[in-house]
Amino acid sequence: MTVFMSSCGFRAMMSLVLLLLVAAEVTCRSHTHSPPHARCEPGCDCPGDLRITTCSRALFTQLPGRVPSNTELLDLSDNHISVIPQRSFSNNRKLRVLLLQNNNISVVEDSSFSQLEFLQKLDLSWNRISVLTEGFSIGLAFLRELQLAHNYLSSLDSRSFLHLDGLQRLNLTSNRIQTIHVRSFSSMSTLRQLHLEDNQLTSLKSGIFSMLRSLEVLNLAGNLISGTDNGVFKPLTSMTLLNMADNQLSVVNFKTLLNIHTYSTHILLEGNPWNCDCDLQRVFRKLRSIQRLFLDDYSNLTCKAPPVLQDYLLMDVENELCIAETVTVLIITVTVVITVLAAMLMGERKRKKRRRALHWTHQEDLSDESDH
Ligand SMILES: *[C@@H]1O[C@H](CO)[C@@H](O)[C@H](O)[C@H]1NC(C)=O
Ligand SMILES: *[C@@H]1O[C@H](CO)[C@@H](O)[C@H](O)[C@H]1NC(C)=O
Ligand SMILES: *[C@@H]1O[C@H](CO)[C@@H](O)[C@H](O)[C@H]1NC(C)=O
């Protein structure tokens, strides 16, 4: 009986131990593999409590499948990803920052980011994007910063940034942009910085910046701009910095710059092939007398033409540019003065003659009367 009892107790004990072991195993597994760790893709680093997932330089050719759902910053930079498929981030709706720079992305499918309603920064620079379709920006109403430098964009139109209502900074440096259609930036009334340096713009048409009333910085350096429409900067009433350095300007359009209606704006113009003649000197003199405009690098402007003045600083030759004109004006003035004086003299002489004649007739009349 006792033997039976003890063997029974032993069995019961064994089952209990087994049960405990299984339980321990389960708890152990759930400790090491419970979210977020259970959902970290090999090649990524997911310190879950920081809400950061880093998958940089992981040789990915497509987006990783398993990213912890509480991730707020996802770093996928320096991989070989080439396509961003539709609704790619439906399990990561808490993302605030998404870094995709230095990949091989040429296709961003429509609605790729549409579920990222909290996304504030998106970095797509150093990729191969050549087209932005309307679907690209769907759902990105709270995006504040979009980095698209070093891509292959050649033209912007009204669909490119359609849904980016809250954007503050847009970086399009070093693309191949030749054309900006009117209304390309029409949804961006909150944009504060627009970087278009190192593109291939040749002119600036009225209307392309028409809705950018919050824009503070407009960087157009390193393009091929040789002309600007008179009203192109007129809508930019908050602009504090306009950088047009290193373009193809040889003359300065006075009306374009006069049309900048701001409290104060700094304008950079060096590195342009200025045609240093009297007109240029006059326009710059007028511009420099406008209180709200600051031509910060005026002392660095160099002449490209005429050939005798090539590489001279405009500031060093400006006093001589209008000498020929001054001499001409002087000759004309002197001629006019002489002509007028001569005319006056002639007139005076004629008048005197007439008065003398009148005098004589009057006296003759009087003598006639006295004869009677
Ligand atoms: C980049 O994408 C192109 C297709 O767009 C492909 O031919 C090329 O092999 C990709 N390069 C790398 C390094 O993945
Ligand atoms: C724009 O992008 C370029 C290239 O990535 C970078 O060097 C530059 O700092 C960016 N500018 C701004 C204002 O974000
Ligand atoms: C003028 O050019 C010099 C030399 O390139 C540069 O150091 C300086 O900052 C420039 N001045 C302005 C006002 O841009």
Side-chain angles (χ1 to χ4, degrees), residues 1-9:
M1 183 68 184
T2 44
V3 173
F4 176 66
M5 279 290 284
S6 64
S7 100
C8 193

Side-chain angles (χ1 to χ4, degrees), residues 3-19:
V3 173
F4 176 66
M5 279 290 284
S6 64
S7 100
C8 193
F10 179 72
R11 263 205 223 161
M13 222 169 74
M14 281 305 284
S15 340
L16 200 71
V17 167
L18 257 173
L19 208 78

Side-chain angles (χ1 to χ4, degrees), residues 125-126 145 147 149-150 169 171-173 193 195 197:
S125 47
W126 295 97
E145 179 178 337
Q147 297 284 346
H150 295 279
R169 186 189 292 188
N171 192 347
L172 293 162
T173 299
Q193 293 192 15
H195 294 270
E197 54 262 45

Side-chain angles (χ1 to χ4, degrees), residues 242-286:
L242 170 63
N243 190 345
M244 302 258 292
D246 301 312
N247 273 281
Q248 290 299 320
L249 296 168
S250 58
V251 297
V252 57
N253 184 340
F254 181 65
K255 283 192 179 148
T256 302
L257 299 183
L258 190 68
N259 263 323
I260 298 176
H261 295 299
T262 55
Y263 179 64
S264 106
T265 300
H266 294 259
I267 302 174
L268 299 177
L269 293 167
E270 69 180 298
N272 280 284
W274 297 111
N275 179 20
C276 294
D277 60 8
C278 186
D279 281 344
L280 189 79
Q281 194 272 335
R282 286 216 183 106
V283 173
F284 270 121
R285 201 180 53 207
K286 277 194 280 179

Side-chain angles (χ1 to χ4, degrees), residues 325-339:
E325 275 81 353
T326 313
V327 169
T328 315
V329 168
L330 213 69
I331 291 172
I332 292 171
T333 316
V334 167
T335 317
V336 168
V337 167
I338 289 173
T339 318

